[in-house]
Amino acid sequence: MLSFAASARHVGRSQLLRATRRSYATETTSKKPSNLPLYLMGAGVAGLGSYFYLNSTGKSVITQEKSPLDPENFKDFKLKKIVPYNHNTSEFIFELPNNEASLLPVASCLVVKSSDPEALKDEKGKPIIRPYTPISPPEKQGELTLLIKKYDNGNASKHIHGLKEGDTLAIKGPIPKFPYKVNEFEEVALIGGGSGITPLYQIVTHALSNASNRTKFTLLFSNVTEVDILLKSELEALQKKYPTKFNLVYMLDKPPAGWTGPSGYISKEVLQQHVAPASLNERVKVFVCGPPGQVAAVAGKKAGMKQGELGGILKELGYTEDQVYKF
């Protein structure tokens, strides 16, 4: 495919728009009142390219040339606001320069480290680097939001929770994960636990916001207690808005009195009840993200940054490696 610059030299702006609409099936929805369609061009590894929308006259308007993020180098971003979520989790909203959007491709993540090279190191003196998936949409202007849970033994999460508004964090990305395409699958199961909800949330919000989406999603979300459920109001709003396309199932290790949903660890029976069968072949996809023990039990251990062999309950149920993706 021609780059934007090359395309612009060969075709007029209206021709470029038509070519783009044919070539890109994925659309996102503008936050503007008119709900004009947005297009992310060149949303590949670097998330670069041009970002534009149709104005009221139908003319394409260039609003941003490239992402402010860098997939090759860490850049410092200022912490604009901290919004406490529950007893151990907060939203950290970082400021993007010039009111730009992140333009992150779906699905992808970022990696972060301390802006101070002496502040966050491992026992060997090397910088501690951790991946996080933003919960803000790619087209959100001026802000990038990370939902981060503080762990007692998590050096990076403790460092970030120790930041104050006005401080900075070094961020690099995007790091591409799975290149999600709208309507590539008929059924998608999202199996998550704890803070592992963020990449699953990224996919489902991206897909459901597309008016052409026909895929049916089921989220099986496991937590210790009800108060531990992250993005609860957002997920329930999605279920209310897309009742025929999004099924939300909570599981709790320690359910309260009167709990009517499933409880305990994710089991073979629960997956058989809620996840589309492996017999759908290429029409079904299962995404898994959660604590390492849960991922291993459900889909087999990851091999570092690689997928590793498929195992666990999903293998017992007949799913293949092509049908399962582990974040």
Side-chain angles (χ1 to χ4, degrees):
M1 179 177 291
L2 292 174
S3 66
F4 177 78
S7 298
R9 290 195 297 267
H10 289 80
V11 298
R13 184 169 289 179
S14 61
Q15 290 173 299
L16 174 61
L17 177 60
R18 287 195 295 272
T20 303
R21 294 178 71 178
R22 287 194 299 269
S23 301
Y24 289 83
T26 303
E27 298 179 9
T28 54
T29 304
S30 172
K31 297 296 183 183
K32 296 177 181 296
S34 59
N35 289 324
L36 298 172
L38 295 169
Y39 295 86
L40 298 182
M41 291 188 61
V45 173
L48 305 177
S50 297
Y51 170 68
F52 62 89
Y53 64 92
L54 298 180
N55 65 14
S56 58
T57 65
K59 185 179 180 181
S60 60
V61 180
I62 304 293
T63 62
Q64 187 175 327
E65 290 297 325
K66 64 178 183 178
S67 170
L69 298 162
D70 188 335
E72 302 296 333
N73 302 288
F74 281 96
K75 296 173 64 176
D76 288 339
F77 291 88
K78 185 170 72 174
L79 180 56
K80 178 180 179 180
K81 189 175 182 181
I82 301 172
V83 181
Y85 190 89
N86 63 13
H87 63 290
N88 61 6
T89 305
S90 294
E91 292 183 9
F92 293 84
I93 303 171
F94 292 89
E95 181 179 303
L96 297 179
N98 304 315
N99 201 36
E100 294 175 332
S102 70
L103 307 189
L104 261 70
V106 177
S108 64
C109 70
L110 307 169
V111 290
V112 309
K113 68 176 184 178
S114 172
S115 292
D116 179 357
E118 301 300 321
L120 187 60
K121 293 182 176 181
D122 62 19
E123 56 188 15
K124 296 181 180 180
K126 295 182 178 180
I128 292 176
I129 299 173
R130 292 290 183 269
Y132 290 101
T133 302
I135 60 170
S136 48
E139 71 273 13
K140 176 70 175 179
Q141 292 180 294
E143 294 180 351
L144 177 76
T145 302
L146 302 179
L147 181 67
I148 299 179
K149 183 176 181 178
K150 183 179 180 181
Y151 292 94
D152 293 336
N153 59 347
N155 292 325
S157 67
K158 286 193 291 186
H159 172 79
I160 295 170
H161 274 260
L163 296 177
K164 297 179 177 60
E165 293 177 4
D167 290 343
T168 63
L169 186 69
I171 300 175
K172 182 171 74 172
I175 311 299
K177 303 296 283 186
F178 183 89
Y180 185 82
K181 299 176 183 177
V182 172
N183 297 324
E184 184 176 2
F185 311 107
E186 291 181 10
E187 299 266 0
V188 168
L190 308 164
I191 303 174
S195 57
I197 185 62
T198 53
L200 309 181
Y201 180 75
Q202 185 188 67
I203 287 177
V204 74
T205 53
H206 171 75
L208 291 176
S209 66
N210 190 306
S212 68
N213 173 67
R214 298 185 301 275
T215 301
K216 293 182 180 179
F217 291 84
T218 293
L219 170 60
L220 185 58
F221 191 16
S222 175
N223 287 275
V224 178
T225 68
E226 193 167 9
V227 74
D228 293 310
I229 300 174
L230 301 179
L231 298 171
K232 189 172 187 290
S233 60
E234 291 85 348
L235 292 170
E236 291 173 1
L238 285 175
Q239 185 181 45
K240 183 177 180 180
K241 186 174 182 179
Y242 306 99
T244 63
K245 299 290 178 62
F246 183 50
N247 181 33
L248 176 60
V249 181
Y250 295 131
M251 283 192 70
L252 297 180
D253 295 347
K254 299 177 181 178
W259 178 258
T260 58
S263 59
Y265 296 116
I266 295 175
S267 66
K268 183 176 181 179
E269 291 71 28
V270 169
L271 293 183
Q272 286 177 312
Q273 181 180 356
H274 296 288
V275 177
S279 59
L280 287 179
N281 299 318
E282 71 279 357
R283 292 173 292 167
V284 63
K285 191 75 175 185
V286 182
F287 294 99
V288 184
C289 188
Q294 183 189 65
V295 172
V298 172
K301 292 181 180 180
K302 287 195 68 176
M305 297 296 291
K306 297 181 180 179
Q307 287 292 292
E309 293 184 8
L310 179 65
I313 302 172
L314 291 175
K315 184 174 182 179
E316 292 178 23
L317 291 175
Y319 293 89
T320 66
E321 291 186 354
D322 288 340
Q323 293 176 303
V324 178
Y325 186 88
K326 294 173 275 189
F327 282 101

